[in-house]
């Protein structure tokens, strides 16, 4: 496949379903924040919507269409007349929030793939330029990949007290 025809991996439906799930059940944001952050969204509009939802959650305001649009307007993301239709379509994308963790995992996996592609491009450019030693290029490549790996699934670690409590 020609490199110009390749598209970065992302799932529009997973991003929309995740945001719609949070609108349907704002408490599901607790589950989602363990898996993703705003930078994991491919579309900047979705990232901004997620950030606004998170900010509403942090200040203990109800997350619904009205409060979300108000937040987005106050941040200058939407104009007073725009955006409401799209936010409404997000709520219509999912009937409930049962699968919100699955949607978050899909969004996260696509984000990790995009990060890997960016790292590989950077490594490739470094290697083609031949301006650094092979050792430096390899060290840099290892650091890039390691940093991506560290950002994945680190939230699944549990404190030893929790594990021991489950065992005993």
């Amino acid at each position: 496949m020609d490199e110009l025809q390749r598209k970065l991996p992302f799932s529009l439906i997973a991003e929309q379903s995740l945001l719609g799930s949070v609108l349907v059940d704002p408490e599901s944001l607790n589950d989602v924040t363990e898996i993703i952050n705003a930078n994991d969204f491919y579309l900047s509009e979705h990232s901004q919507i997620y950030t606004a939802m998170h900010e509403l959650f942090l200040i203990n305001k109800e997350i619904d269409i009205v409060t979300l649009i108000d937040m987005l307007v106050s941040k200058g993301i939407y104009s007073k007349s725009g955006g409401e239709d799209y936010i409404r379509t997000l709520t219509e994308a999912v009937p409930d929030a049962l699968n919100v963790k699955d949607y978050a995992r899909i969004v996260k996996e696509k984000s990790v793939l995009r990060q890997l592609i960016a790292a590989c491009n950077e490594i490739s450019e470094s290697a083609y330029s031949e301006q650094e030693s092979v050792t430096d290029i390899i060290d840099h490549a290892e650091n890039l990949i390691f940093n991506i790996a560290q950002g994945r699934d680190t939230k699944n670690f549990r404190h030893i007290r929790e594990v021991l409590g489950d065992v005993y």
Side-chain angles (χ1 to χ4, degrees):
M1 181 187 284
D2 187 47
E3 201 160 323
L4 294 176
Q5 294 176 335
R6 290 185 183 177
K7 294 181 181 162
L8 289 175
F10 88 102
S11 173
L12 177 64
I13 190 124
E15 289 189 9
Q16 290 175 328
S17 297
L18 188 148
L19 296 172
S21 293
V22 173
L23 278 169
V24 169
D25 179 13
E27 291 299 316
S28 67
L29 194 59
N30 279 325
D31 299 327
V32 171
T33 56
E34 295 176 0
I35 301 170
I36 65 162
N37 62 54
N39 295 328
D40 289 322
F41 288 91
Y42 179 72
L43 297 177
S44 63
E45 182 179 10
H46 289 170
S47 177
Q48 293 167 337
I49 291 169
Y50 178 80
T51 300
M53 289 175 163
H54 196 258
E55 288 175 10
L56 286 169
F57 187 78
L58 290 176
I59 58 174
N60 291 324
K61 280 195 171 182
E62 190 64 35
I63 300 171
D64 60 24
I65 293 173
V66 175
T67 58
L68 181 59
I69 289 174
D70 184 60
M71 173 70 83
L72 292 168
V73 168
S74 70
K75 293 173 86 92
I77 296 165
Y78 283 162
S79 67
K80 290 187 180 190
S81 62
E84 187 174 340
D85 291 338
Y86 187 68
I87 300 296
R88 286 192 192 285
T89 60
L90 291 176
T91 59
E92 295 165 359
V94 291
D96 54 47
L98 290 176
N99 296 324
V100 71
K101 283 185 174 182
D102 293 326
Y103 305 145
R105 284 188 193 99
I106 293 168
V107 170
K108 183 64 174 184
E109 286 173 3
K110 301 298 182 183
S111 173
V112 169
L113 290 174
R114 290 191 304 274
Q115 290 173 42
L116 283 170
I117 291 167
C120 289
N121 287 337
E122 188 176 328
I123 294 164
S124 179
E125 287 298 317
S126 231
Y128 276 119
S129 74
E130 298 184 43
Q131 293 179 354
E132 298 176 54
S133 72
V134 171
T135 305
D136 288 343
I137 293 171
I138 290 172
D139 287 344
H140 183 65
E142 285 177 344
N143 282 331
L144 287 173
I145 301 298
F146 180 76
N147 289 337
I148 293 169
Q150 287 299 100
R152 197 185 78 226
D153 277 342
T154 56
K155 305 265 192 221
N156 289 335
F157 290 110
R158 294 174 31 195
H159 195 278
I160 190 71
R161 271 181 267 169
E162 292 177 46
V163 176
L164 288 175
D166 291 347
V167 172
Y168 293 104

